[in-house]
Amino acid sequence: MWPRSQPSRLHSLWCNKNNNGQSSSATVRLSKSLRVRVFSLSARQRQDQSNASDAVKAIPYGELSIGVPTEVRTGERRVAITPQNAAVLLKKGFKQVLIEHGAGFQAQFPAHAYEEAGATLVNATRVWTDSNIVLKVRPPRLRSTTLSPNNFISGLREGSVIISMLQPNSDRYKNVIDTYQSKGLTSFAMDMIPRITRAQGFDVLSSMANIAGYKAVLEASNEFGRYMTGQTTAAGKVPPCKVLVIGAGVAGLSAIATARRMGAIVRCFDTRAATKEQIESLGAEAITVDMEEDGAGGGGYAKVMSKEFIEAEMRLFAKQCAEVDILITTALIPGRPAPRLITEEMIASMKPGSVVVDLAAENGGNCEPTVPGQLIHHKGVTVIGYTDLPSRLPTQSSTLYSNNITKYLLSMSPKEGHFGIDLNDEVVRRSIVTYNGELLPTLPPVAPPAPAAHKIDAVKEAEAVALTPWQKTSREVATLTAGMGTALALGKFTGPLFMSNIFTFSLAGLIGYRVVWGVAPALHSPLMSVTNAISGMVGIGGFFIMGGGYLPQTIPQALGALSVLLAFVNVSGGFVISKRMLDMFRRPTDPPEYPWLYAVPGLLFGGGYIVAASTGMAGLVQAGYMVSSLLCIGSLTGLASQATARTGNLMGILGVGSGVLASLAAVGLPMETLIQCLAVAGIGSTIGGLIGRRITATELPQMVAALHSVVGLAAVLTSIGSVMAAVNHLDALHMVTGYLGVLIGGVTFTGSIVAFMKLAGRMSSRPTILPGRHLINGGLLAANAATMGAFITAAPGAPAIAAACLAANTCFSFAKGYTTTSAIGGADMPVVITVLNAYSGFALVAEGLMLNSPILTTVGSLIGVSGSILSYIMCKAMNRSLANVLFGGISAPAKTDHKMVGEITKTTVEDTAQALKDAQKVVIVVGYGWSQLHPECGEV
């Protein structure tokens, strides 16, 4: 302990050093002119903030004692520090935490709880005389009372620190501030902490306002003579209570939420236009006046409105008072008298038995009849003017206040394990009142943030593209006309076979479009995984070019076999991964499931199909295609909700199985080739299943990308093999679709590999911006177009030219997949995978048109369209442009002058474990899609 005759350690370190850090014989006192220069936070000082921070004098926690006195002001039942936070401060290294006997009694924190936390229980004198830092809720009393017979602040040493609520902008505690000056104390006002992002954890006003709004509704319901909610009983119908909340700040929103939970009809008025969405999100009705004027002011508070607006506002209040049963007013700016919004005439117009709760009573009140601190009855209306609503929930309010003041105290740490005051820190500078006895000038309020440039541009763009009813209808008619005209032209210049496939493509695409909109965001990644598994049906194309008996004999046959192998790796692994993803959403309380029963229809259909095919095909192929298509559609539909998602995955397995069976029947492979096909498919399925089961849960997203690359490579191999197998009798449709299959499959292959490597951390997640990348991508597209032209004109009957063009196309598409995907940051990989999934679907469509396979056309259209819509949904959620995604990849964001808002809070394993132990709910947000946990899965 320090001798009473010596200045405190804080004071000596902060004040008795010269610029070189040497001891000075005289205490440094800042002149008024110097004080203004130091504390005005000039532009130059902000520029040199980091250098100035280095000069902050830091004192080890181990040399500092914290004192927590009993609150003695009338009606105050809170305590500044709870046992839990006393333990936190001691764990951080503070010498001791001194708690006055009985300090937490009224807040229901017993003495033994503090002792178990490691705090020291002492009398009032020792709290003040032995402490370097005193933490309080309200300012100390300066005169003797029954509860506080002595003026204990006289025992506080010069240079000590005291932190409490203080209201320095009013004259209410001027004598306290004068005493701080005369004693040479450093004081902080918790109620002056600015409402900025970094200070949210210290914002005691928001914490207390939240409680006040909640308690206001409870107090009103206690005095109100009816139910809050409406009821219909045998004795009659009870109408719901109507509540009007004036002000949608923290207290107002808390009151709205509480009243809505109790079943009341709630209306709310606020001068700030930005609060309308918040009001409506809580289920209340936002009411407004018939004129436009935004009331947003500095520091998160409303500003003073114009005379015309106030007059319109008063007319609105007069009308509402005659209709509502409960009125809660919250209009208040700290340090200023409360605005008078409700007159005696308005109160008199309220129905008898109505209740008014004035949360601004401490500063005079928003209602004329309000008596601060009292409940009165005015012309049949109960007017509650309590000024201690947070203190009426002492346990909860003390807990929140203690969290705020503890975090604030620990934030003043220039280096680990040390306490120091940095006056260049905006939060510190705006909340400090006296610094070693010097009264610091108050800074102007925090200015409201200017609208961001991109938001202004968005508003202007929205205004520019606003359509009249005539324009809207005209565009719809033009789109419909173009679609019908395109169908007419295709019907004229193509054949029945092509139009049959287009018909299938259109219907499947429409179904895919309708299905995806209903999928919950938490199921987007399982949906991607299932569609990726279904896209493994690209291997069906390999059936058409396989041959050679037990082993392939030609290059096209080898490519077909390799395509089937890769496709079944994807099918098996994809469905296993989908199951594991969906199992993460299972809860112990979910009803039992019997997935093995779905083997019954699979075995019956498969066995019956084989038996029926042995006696003649008839329409079995078309029947198999129909069953496969319907099951795949049902699979995507099942992914729309948690309740049916696992069933959807099983339907996808049945759909792929029936499609493979029907395709084998359609190809009619010889027995030797059929054995080769089944062996290759079995090996691929085994590999995929093992991969899907052995990876860890954190590797599931990147494994979806890895398996997706297999689909792209299989599409490339199938397309090349099909063209080479029929090179002597190629038609135009076969050449175009084969070339596009190679192009789309190649982009999907390398793009998926890059996505896998970024998600797996094997490649930097930062965008790889190649010099002249737009020129490179444009050149690759031009090269693709040139080789396609050469391929179509010269390939028929010329295998060498066909092979050369396809090889060049393959190389160009591989390169384009890399250049477009590598230029995307790792955070955008979920969108990349979805886009590539859509690409693979369209590759399936091309393959279906090439091989005249309705099942490939149907499934490809379903995946391509659903993947495109899912890409659009995810792009909107992640603020991306779908056009940029589909036609050139997601470009890296341009460099801007935007600065990161907020702060990074470093923690330890022990602190994290303690936080998890103390938490009632834990929400883990890792990224987009499957990692957005189902709301009921956030409970730990």
Side-chain angles (χ1 to χ4, degrees):
M1 297 301 106
W2 302 318
R4 291 292 306 274
S5 60
Q6 295 181 2
S8 73
R9 169 75 168 159
L10 293 176
H11 186 269
S12 62
L13 280 179
W14 288 335
C15 297
N16 295 337
K17 298 247 182 182
N18 58 27
N19 292 334
N20 296 322
Q22 302 297 323
S23 297
S24 173
S25 58
T27 298
V28 177
R29 291 290 181 179
L30 301 175
S31 66
K32 182 176 181 181
S33 60
L34 177 61
R35 198 164 63 239
V36 172
R37 290 198 300 272
V38 170
F39 299 125
S40 63
L41 284 179
S42 65
R44 180 176 179 180
Q45 284 175 315
R46 287 194 297 268
Q47 183 179 358
D48 298 333
Q49 180 174 351
S50 60
N51 295 332
S53 297
D54 295 337
V56 174
K57 307 306 182 295
I59 303 173
Y61 286 158
E63 299 180 14
L64 301 176
S65 296
I66 295 175
V68 181
T70 301
E71 300 295 328
V72 296
R73 291 188 178 269
T74 304
E76 185 55 69
R77 301 168 60 192
R78 291 172 289 183
V79 64
I81 290 293
T82 61
Q84 178 182 346
N85 283 317
V88 170
L89 293 173
L90 289 170
K91 191 173 183 179
K92 289 292 183 181
F94 282 96
K95 182 178 181 180
Q96 56 185 345
V97 176
L98 305 176
I99 307 293
E100 182 179 346
H101 286 286
F105 176 75
Q106 294 192 81
Q108 300 175 2
F109 294 110
H112 66 81
Y114 285 103
E115 291 178 327
E116 291 172 359
T120 304
L121 298 180
V122 297
N123 58 31
T125 302
R126 281 198 59 192
V127 168
W128 293 94
T129 58
D130 293 351
S131 299
N132 311 113
I133 302 173
V134 174
L135 306 181
K136 282 185 55 58
V137 179
R138 297 274 190 170
R141 280 193 180 274
L142 301 182
R143 63 180 185 276
S144 299
T145 65
T146 303
L147 292 175
S148 181
N150 299 307
N151 182 8
F152 290 113
I153 194 174
S154 61
L156 201 58
R157 295 188 185 90
E158 182 181 2
S160 296
V161 174
I162 183 166
I163 306 175
S164 69
M165 290 190 283
L166 192 54
Q167 299 182 17
N169 289 334
S170 69
D171 294 332
R172 183 172 182 180
Y173 298 116
K174 184 178 183 303
N175 58 337
V176 175
I177 297 174
D178 291 341
T179 302
Y180 290 169
Q181 290 181 266
S182 64
K183 290 281 298 176
L185 303 180
T186 296
S187 61
F188 295 89
M190 290 294 293
D191 46 345
M192 290 297 289
I193 290 175
R195 284 185 167 175
I196 60 177
T197 303
R198 188 170 66 84
Q200 287 180 347
F202 324 142
D203 189 359
V204 69
L205 290 181
S206 294
S207 298
M208 298 302 104
N210 185 23
I211 295 174
Y214 170 81
K215 187 62 174 174
V217 177
L218 298 187
E219 295 287 348
S221 66
N222 286 340
E223 298 297 329
F224 188 55
R226 294 204 322 262
Y227 290 134
M228 293 287 283
T229 185
Q231 291 190 10
T232 301
T233 68
K237 184 177 181 181
V238 179
C241 171
K242 295 181 180 178
V243 178
L244 172 63
V245 178
I246 298 179
V250 177
L253 293 175
S254 177
I256 291 172
T258 306
R260 285 291 300 141
R261 284 194 292 265
M262 297 177 71
I265 297 174
V266 184
R267 306 167 186 172
C268 182
F269 173 83
D270 196 286
T271 59
R272 296 163 293 184
T275 62
K276 182 176 184 292
E277 182 178 349
Q278 297 173 335
I279 294 169
E280 293 176 346
S281 69
L282 293 174
E285 175 190 359
I287 58 176
T288 59
V289 297
D290 296 331
M291 65 179 298
E292 293 187 4
E293 182 178 344
D294 191 7
Y301 298 98
K303 69 177 184 180
V304 178
M305 308 301 290
S306 66
K307 178 183 177 182
E308 293 76 11
F309 187 94
I310 293 175
E311 290 175 352
E313 182 181 68
M314 298 298 279
R315 290 193 295 270
L316 176 67
F317 293 159
K319 178 182 178 182
Q320 291 293 324
C321 284
E323 298 178 5
V324 300
D325 303 300
I326 294 176
L327 171 63
I328 299 174
T329 65
T330 70
L332 180 64
I333 299 177
R336 299 185 188 180
R340 290 299 173 89
L341 305 177
I342 306 299
T343 64
E344 291 192 13
E345 290 76 14
M346 296 178 190
I347 298 293
S349 69
M350 298 181 74
K351 291 172 282 190
S354 299
V355 180
V356 176
V357 183
D358 194 340
L359 294 183
E362 189 169 10
N363 284 33
N366 298 135
C367 308
E368 288 184 351
T370 297
V371 177
Q374 297 184 25
L375 181 152
I376 66 169
H377 298 280
H378 182 81
K379 298 183 178 179
V381 176
T382 302
V383 181
I384 300 174
Y386 296 151
T387 59
D388 59 347
L389 286 175
S391 192
R392 289 171 180 256
L393 284 175
T395 306
Q396 185 63 67
S397 57
S398 296
T399 300
L400 296 182
Y401 184 88
S402 177
N403 291 341
N404 292 141
I405 201 169
T406 300
K407 291 177 182 178
Y408 178 58
L409 174 62
L410 295 176
S411 74
M412 290 186 279
S413 179
K415 62 181 180 178
E416 186 70 22
H418 289 69
F419 175 79
I421 298 175
D422 181 7
L423 293 174
N424 285 325
D425 185 316
E426 183 178 12
V427 178
V428 171
R429 177 59 190 91
R430 289 186 177 276
S431 56
I432 192 170
V433 180
T434 60
Y435 182 53
N436 293 324
E438 292 290 335
L439 180 64
L440 304 186
T442 303
L443 295 181
V446 178
H454 69 275
K455 291 185 178 180
I456 296 175
D457 294 340
V459 171
K460 292 180 179 178
E461 182 180 352
E463 293 174 351
V465 300
L467 301 178
T468 64
W470 165 258
Q471 291 173 321
K472 183 175 181 295
T473 305
S474 299
R475 293 192 179 189
E476 291 175 353
V477 170
T479 302
L480 184 61
T481 303
M484 296 173 69
T486 301
L488 181 62
L490 288 174
K492 176 63 178 176
F493 297 105
T494 61
L497 189 60
F498 179 81
M499 287 308 300
S500 175
N501 284 319
I502 290 296
F503 177 70
T504 303
F505 168 80
S506 301
L507 289 181
L510 179 62
I511 294 171
Y513 174 86
R514 300 297 300 175
V515 164
V516 176
W517 287 108
V519 177
L523 291 171
H524 283 171
S525 280
L527 175 65
M528 282 191 289
S529 182
V530 169
T531 55
N532 174 58
I534 294 175
S535 68
M537 294 177 73
V538 68
I540 288 176
F543 296 165
F544 289 85
I545 55 176
M546 288 186 71
Y550 293 112
L551 293 174
Q553 303 298 320
T554 64
I555 292 178
Q557 291 172 358
L559 293 177
L562 184 57
S563 172
V564 172
L565 174 70
L566 295 175
F568 276 86
V569 169
N570 175 75
V571 170
S572 176
F575 282 123
V576 171
I577 288 176
S578 301
K579 180 183 182 303
R580 292 187 62 187
M581 284 184 176
L582 295 171
D583 284 345
M584 296 176 69
F585 293 96
R586 280 190 59 82
R587 295 162 296 187
T589 57
D590 285 346
E593 296 178 352
Y594 307 97
W596 56 269
L597 285 176
Y598 286 88
V600 174
L603 293 174
L604 288 176
F605 179 83
Y609 197 93
I610 294 172
V611 171
S614 64
T615 59
M617 294 303 297
L620 284 177
V621 172
Q622 287 69 29
Y625 286 167
M626 180 188 71
V627 171
S628 177
S629 300
L630 292 177
L631 285 172
C632 289
I633 293 170
S635 175
L636 300 192
T637 304
L639 266 294
S641 71
Q642 297 282 352
T644 59
R646 282 178 288 277
T647 301
N649 190 45
L650 293 171
M651 292 179 69
I653 296 173
L654 293 175
V656 172
S658 56
V660 168
L661 187 61
S663 298
L664 288 173
V667 175
L669 295 173
M671 182 57 64
E672 294 83 357
T673 306
L674 179 61
I675 293 174
Q676 176 199 151
C677 179
L678 294 177
V680 169
I683 294 172
S685 299
T686 302
I687 295 173
L690 291 175
I691 293 174
R693 290 189 62 83
R694 290 187 178 182
I695 60 172
T696 63
T698 56
E699 294 173 328
L700 292 178
Q702 53 260 41
M703 191 49 61
V704 173
L707 292 176
H708 202 248
S709 68
V710 173
V711 176
L713 183 58
V716 172
L717 297 177
T718 300
S719 298
I720 294 176
S722 175
V723 170
M724 294 182 65
V727 70
N728 294 320
H729 48 85
L730 291 173
D731 57 21
L733 177 62
H734 198 146
M735 288 188 291
V736 171
T737 53
Y739 191 92
L740 291 178
V742 173
L743 173 61
I744 299 173
V747 172
T748 302
F749 173 60
T750 51
S752 297
I753 289 178
V754 172
F756 164 75
M757 295 180 69
K758 289 200 173 191
L759 288 173
R762 301 181 184 180
M763 179 178 178
S764 174
S765 62
R766 298 177 64 85
T768 302
I769 308 300
L770 299 175
R773 64 189 179 93
H774 294 302
L775 183 62
I776 294 173
N777 290 334
L780 290 173
L781 281 177
N784 282 129
T787 54
M788 182 176 182
F791 176 72
I792 293 175
T793 56
I801 295 178
C805 291
L806 287 179
N809 181 27
T810 303
C811 295
F812 293 148
S813 61
F814 283 176
K816 184 162 180 59
Y818 172 81
T819 58
T820 54
T821 309
S822 63
I824 306 167
D828 294 326
M829 286 301 111
V831 182
V832 174
I833 297 174
T834 313
V835 172
L836 295 174
N837 197 29
Y839 286 170
S840 67
F842 294 125
L844 271 178
V845 171
E847 192 172 306
L849 295 174
M850 177 178 64
L851 301 173
N852 188 28
S853 174
I855 185 61
L856 292 180
T857 304
T858 301
V859 173
S861 176
L862 189 67
I863 294 172
V865 174
S866 63
S868 298
I869 300 303
L870 183 57
S871 300
Y872 173 80
I873 295 172
M874 294 179 70
C875 284
K876 295 292 287 183
M878 300 177 72
N879 195 26
R880 296 292 187 266
S881 167
L882 180 61
N884 289 340
V885 173
L886 293 178
F887 305 106
I890 311 173
S891 59
K895 294 183 178 180
T896 66
D897 294 332
H898 176 74
K899 296 181 180 179
M900 184 177 294
V901 178
E903 63 177 343
I904 298 174
T905 302
K906 295 183 179 180
T907 185
T908 63
V909 174
E910 293 77 12
D911 290 344
T912 303
Q914 185 63 41
L916 290 171
K917 179 181 178 182
D918 297 336
Q920 294 180 342
K921 290 187 177 181
V922 177
V923 178
I924 303 173
V925 181
V926 182
Y928 191 89
W930 74 273
S931 54
Q932 287 185 329
L933 295 182
H934 187 270
E936 295 183 14
C937 291
E939 298 185 7
V940 177

